[in-house]
């Protein structure tokens, strides 16, 4: 075990020595990789902030049930027990809206009282308005369509309008954003690997004579490869830290603009940086991408020196 730690300690020290010999090149590569990582990191931060907000939105969907024209009032009123049976387990406020009251409300709100008066008979049907509550989140509230289907099967029911479209749109939008972020992350992750691949390739070419001498005195391939692996991992790690720092700094001016906009809606919404655990995961991912690029480069270019 001591030998293992000694070997890796030597490899890490060797990588740091080579980095100190060309700090400008290493810093430039950090900037390039950090820029590639900034977009997916910023997108992940945005989704992390929007997701809880979407869960806290009002998720009390509403169903409007319209009866067939000519349905007797007694039959219309008799539907309430059947509606409560369908909604068993879903707390709801059920309100019966007579056609006369619906027409009066339409006249008072639309400003078309003169036009409606020319219609003669009331064209509006009796209806029910069902306001559901006790939903924990938007995804759960979106699952009320089966209730609407059961209500459509009741006698005398003409149509049922389920007011949950906004919930589905929100879920679909978040799904599209996650997919776009995944595609962006894969694309820019490939860019990171390519940058590290090229960096290690140049380093291998620079140290060609040193590597040849090491082989002549009996150094193993693993011993020679290991410092390059550490260089790639350090490049990815430093770039990930720089990218996360840049995203955190950008949040400050953004929050100033968001605060003014949110105040118009009586909200205190603010963007916050990622929690420590997700940050650690992103740093590990960045280091892993750097390591992958280094491994691919070393396996390709050092094989030519054998």
């Amino acid at each position: 075990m001591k030998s293992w730690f000694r070997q890796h300690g030597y490899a890490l020290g060797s990588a740091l020595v080579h980095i100190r010999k060309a700090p400008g090149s290493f810093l430039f590569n950090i900037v390039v990789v950090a820029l590639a990582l900034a977009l997916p990191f910023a997108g992940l931060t945005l989704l992390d902030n929007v997701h809880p907000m979407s869960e806290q939105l009002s998720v009390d969907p509403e169903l409007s049930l319209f009866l067939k024209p000519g349905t007797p009032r007694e039959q219309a009123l008799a539907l309430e027990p059947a509606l409560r049976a369908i909604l068993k387990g879903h707390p709801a406020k059920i309100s019966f809206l007579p056609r006369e009251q619906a027409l009066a409300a339409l006249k008072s709100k639309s400003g078309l009282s003169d036009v409606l008066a020319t219609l003669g008979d009331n064209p509006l049907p009796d209806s029910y308005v069902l306001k559901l509550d006790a939903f924990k989140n938007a995804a759960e509230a979106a699952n009320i369509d089966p209730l609407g289907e059961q209500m459509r099967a009741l006698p005398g029911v003409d149509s049922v309008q389920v007011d949950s479209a906004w919930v589905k749109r929100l879920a679909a939008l978040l799904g599209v954003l996650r997919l776009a972020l995944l595609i962006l992350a894969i694309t820019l992750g490939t860019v990171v690997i390519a940058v590290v691949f090229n960096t290690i390739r140049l380093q291998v070419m620079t140290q060609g004579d040193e590597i040849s001498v090491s082989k002549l005195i009996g150094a193993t391939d693993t011993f020679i490869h290991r410092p390059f692996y550490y260089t790639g991992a350090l490049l990815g790690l430093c770039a990930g830290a720089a990218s996360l720092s840049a995203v955190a700094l950008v949040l400050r001016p953004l929050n100033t603009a968001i605060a003014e906009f949110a105040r118009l809606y009586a909200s205190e919404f603010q963007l916050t940086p990622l929690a420590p655990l997700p940050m650690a995961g992103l740093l590990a991912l960045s280091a892993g991408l750097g390591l992958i690029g280094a491994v691919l480069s070393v396996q390709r270019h050092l094989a030519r020196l054998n």
Side-chain angles (χ1 to χ4, degrees):
M1 183 62 70
K2 289 183 179 179
S3 175
W4 186 88
F5 280 112
R6 185 168 59 252
Q7 291 175 7
H8 281 269
Y10 174 82
L12 178 59
S14 179
L16 293 174
V17 167
H18 288 295
I19 289 173
R20 283 198 296 268
K21 288 181 179 179
S25 176
F26 187 75
L27 290 175
F28 178 78
N29 287 320
I30 287 177
V31 171
V32 173
V33 175
L35 289 174
L37 293 173
L39 282 176
F41 283 8
L44 186 60
T45 302
L46 179 62
L47 282 180
D48 185 68
N49 281 270
V50 170
H51 181 70
M53 183 184 69
S54 67
E55 294 295 322
Q56 295 169 5
L57 289 174
S58 175
V59 287
D60 297 337
E62 187 175 280
L63 293 92
S64 299
L65 183 148
F66 301 97
L67 301 178
K68 294 178 181 179
T71 302
R73 182 61 53 83
E74 295 77 11
Q75 181 180 347
L77 294 173
L79 282 177
E80 183 171 345
L83 295 176
R84 294 195 179 278
I86 293 174
L87 295 175
K88 186 178 181 180
H90 298 280
K93 179 181 178 182
I94 301 178
S95 303
F96 177 70
L97 185 63
R99 54 203 299 266
E100 297 83 8
Q101 184 178 341
L103 181 62
L106 183 61
K107 288 181 178 179
S108 63
K109 293 181 180 179
S110 66
L112 300 176
S113 56
D114 294 338
V115 176
L116 293 173
T118 62
L119 295 177
D121 294 336
N122 184 355
L124 301 178
D126 291 331
S127 61
Y128 280 93
V129 178
L130 303 89
K131 295 183 179 180
L132 284 69
D133 56 16
F135 286 95
K136 296 179 181 179
N137 51 52
E140 184 180 340
N143 294 326
I144 64 171
D145 286 340
L147 301 179
E149 292 297 329
Q150 295 180 52
M151 293 176 188
R152 289 186 182 93
L154 294 175
V157 175
D158 187 25
S159 64
V160 177
Q161 179 178 331
V162 181
D163 183 21
S164 63
W166 68 271
V167 176
K168 295 178 180 178
R169 292 191 189 103
L170 177 62
L173 177 60
L174 291 178
V176 170
L177 289 177
R178 291 190 188 98
L179 180 60
L181 181 61
L182 177 60
I183 295 173
L184 180 66
I186 292 174
T187 302
L188 294 180
T190 305
V191 172
V192 171
I193 292 175
V195 171
V196 176
F197 181 93
N198 189 59
T199 300
I200 299 301
R201 179 182 67 85
L202 294 175
Q203 188 173 339
V204 169
M205 294 173 61
T206 302
Q207 298 177 229
D209 294 339
E210 181 181 339
I211 293 170
S212 298
V213 172
S214 299
K215 284 181 172 294
L216 289 174
I217 62 176
T220 63
D221 288 342
T222 302
F223 180 85
I224 295 172
H225 295 179
R226 197 177 289 131
F228 297 105
Y229 295 163
Y230 273 104
T231 301
L234 287 172
L235 175 56
L237 181 64
C238 294
S243 182
L244 287 173
S245 300
V247 171
L249 289 175
V250 169
L251 291 182
R252 294 185 178 181
L254 277 178
N255 279 330
T256 302
I258 289 173
E260 298 178 1
F261 179 77
R263 200 175 296 118
L264 299 175
Y265 293 90
S267 173
E268 298 181 357
F269 175 73
Q270 292 279 284
L271 294 172
T272 58
L274 293 172
L277 187 59
M279 278 191 177
L282 291 178
L283 289 175
L285 178 62
S286 302
L289 290 174
L291 180 59
I292 291 172
V295 169
L296 294 176
S297 184
V298 167
Q299 296 296 334
R300 177 178 175 84
H301 295 99
L302 282 184
R304 299 176 180 177
L305 299 177
N306 292 332

